[in-house]
Amino acid sequence: MHLSIRNLYKTFDDFVALDRISLDVGDHDFICLLGPSGCGKTTLLRIIAGLMPFDGGALTMGDTDLAAIPARERGFGIVFQSYSLFPNMTVAENVAYGLKIRKESSDAIQTRVEALLEMIKLPHLAERYPHQLSGGQQQRVAIARALAVDPALLLLDEPLSALDARVRVEMRAEIREVQRRLGIPTIMVTHDQEEALSLADTIVCMNQGRIEQTGTPEDLYLRPRTRFVADFVGQSNLLPTAWVREACPECLDGRPDGKDEAFELCIRPEMVALSRDETAEGRVTDISFLGNVTRLQVAWRGRALAAEISGPCGLRPGDAVAAALSSGAWVRT
Amino acid sequence: MSALVELKPRRPRLTAADRLLLAVSIGVPLAGLALFFLYPLATIAARSLSVGGNRLGFGNYLAVLSSPGIAIATWNSLILSLATTAICLVLGFAIAFALQRTRLRGRGLVAVALALPMLAPSLVQGLGILFILGRNGLVHKWTGLPVDAYGFSGLLFSDVLYALPQAVLILEAALRHSDARYFDAAEVMGASRLRQFFDITLPNARFGILSAGFVVFTVTITDFGNAAVIGGNFRVLATEIYAQVSGQMNFAMGAVVGILLLLPTVVAVVIERVATQRQFGGGSESAIPVTPDSLPARDVPLGFLVHGSALTVIAVVATVVFASLVKLWPYNLSMTFKNYNITVAGGYAPLATTLEVSLFAAVAGVVLLFLLAFAMKRLPPKLAKAAYLAAVLPVGVPGMVLGLSYVFAFNLGDNLLGMLYGGSLLIALCNFYHYHSQGFLTMMTGMRTVPPALEEAVSCLGGGLAAVLKDAVLPFIGATAVSVFFFLFMRSMVTLSAVIFLITPNLSVAAVSVMRLDEAGFVSQAAAFSTCIMGTVLGALVVMRLALRRAARGRA
């Protein structure tokens, strides 16, 4: 089944929360809605879930119009940032909840719950209560509860944001694996670009209620189309056309036609090549060593450039360096 | 931009069962409020303005204002309430300060004193003072002095005892919210302790002081019990309204005085609400609480004052219990249970009625308040605002006024509502709506602890509103519901001011019995009956503690 969103429009009083959003979610897609807080990503997820009405456009699943169908009848699974397990039910009862509502036989429920707990690797915790579990374990249970009813669509609302950094990375891999295995179309909301890049088949980058760009993680990183995406996904040097014309005329290749102010050149820090050269005009102004990479600030032709070198660099602040820019993408401002 | 978008609002429809549940949760409580609160109030207002036939006018008001009796009662009420407020604020602040900012010992004693007014009808203080300071009191017996507690000083004393604990609770809350960093900064800058008190402690508590002042003023000016027992010839508005209606059958006068009694309360409630909103608007989320310290020069005198006040509150109530157990107060102090053999004024039947009324008020109250609080979140904002206003309005209406308005609204033989009059059901409803606001606000606070995501999780898993109620809301609100239940129950057990107008020769409640026994001169029996009421409420309190502990364990 294929979820299709066409020109979806949503306002709160006079504030436009979602401005003509169109999006397709295929059978096995893992889609990340990525954007800063307040960009409308959670609103979009809640509308898809049926937890919020919308003001215009269409929302369909296959041939079914979802607009009038309440959340309880959509048959989607949802996982919240706050885990939201029933505090008065055991792990097993939590996972079984949706099946009980669907009045499945208790044998069927038990088999299903056991299989799910096996899948999330917590079969030994079936009789525990949520408050006896760690955050990561609670979130696994919440995912199992959402999956128990064979949802047509899995919705994840910042599911990893409340977890410790290390647990978050582990859970990322688990979510990806489970989603691949079950092939359930999944939409996840996140403001963490690393999470989106590592998990998604398709990233939908949102800003101020609009979609800035939809594409694969590579698309968004290597070929950002707008200044916002270049800035939000990864780090970048954003260089004005006039400066590029002066400082690096060869980089003008591939620039779309348009006024000077309409486009900027996005160069990722690792695409700035530096070499020590006593006669060169570049100057290292700042160095931060981060272990696997070293980040440098370089003053070059009247601008401060961010550069990144893998491993230690052997340079010191004040050293003279030559800089070469390559593989940029022209972005709309 | 939006002109390019075809606007067609799409809202997921509710299933029929959910729509029904929502309609019931909002419809029934609001209908109740309209019928048993707004309608009676409108009736009393109309009655106060009706001047014969169908004409309206201020004739009744002019008559009341020009009658010397009412003028005196108004003056007396004002003086009494102001004096009570002043004393309660000074004493109450000292006690609250001692509890919050010093390492006072013997806090248990103070806690008992603070809990007493919840347990006892408001006439118990008056009764106790009569036992000690009355014409046949202990002091007279021991010293032979011609003491007389009836009148202004006795009433002032009993009102202070009644209102002081309520003032302390509010002032304690105000002092609890202060930030230690202000004091650290002042200390570093070299301010003396006294300066810190006047520059930081007092100004920071000013809204609490204001709020406590209004609460004390309101409960004093509208209190009926103590005025009836110990007021003597010192007439106040609350006793005047009762005399006009019950004694002289002057309903129009009663209605006018009722509306007048509404004024100070309404003003007080409005100002207090504005003040508390501002208070919390200025507070910081991450305040560091002030650590209590000890300073003998301050704490020893303060300790005497605090424990002296607490002991007085307890002693007066304890005297009532003690007096109920002796043969002939104060001349023959040998113990007996004969005072508990009450046969006049219906014997113990009113206590049974009160128990039944209180249980009903608490059960119906919890269900209605729960439904209303549950529905509030699911209403369109405008309707929710109106419902909220209606739900918190009762706190501004004194019990006497509510009771009197019930007379006007329901004492009619000729319609369906009239059938309620003279029954215990109407008394229960009156008690519930009398304390509706406090119960509602508590329930709303409890409702705020329900995580919204959990409710949504139920919906996404396929559960309807009923499942949301059962699995997401109830587990979180159980403890709140228990405390609202017992709040309504206990208030209903001891309240006098509203129900005084609703009793009939065949149907009375416990607090009225105490008053009747006292009026008839059976003071020892009145004491015995009071003790029975307090015992019942205390029993309920113990049950509540156990129930709450079990609820807490259930969640853990």
Side-chain angles (χ1 to χ4, degrees), chain A residues 46 54 65 72 97 102, chain B residues 8 10 456 459 461 471:
Chain A
R46 292 170 60 79
F54 55 95
D65 180 7
R72 56 184 291 199
Y97 187 79
R102 282 164 179 69
Chain B
K8 198 171 76 181
R10 306 298 298 270
E456 289 171 350
S459 296
L461 287 167
D471 297 317

Side-chain angles (χ1 to χ4, degrees), chain A residues 118-139:
Chain A
E118 201 66 51
M119 187 187 75
I120 59 167
K121 305 187 185 79
L122 297 177
H124 54 297
L125 299 181
E127 296 312 314
R128 297 272 183 94
Y129 284 91
H131 69 102
Q132 297 168 311
L133 306 184
S134 72
Q137 290 170 334
Q138 289 193 50
Q139 201 57 296

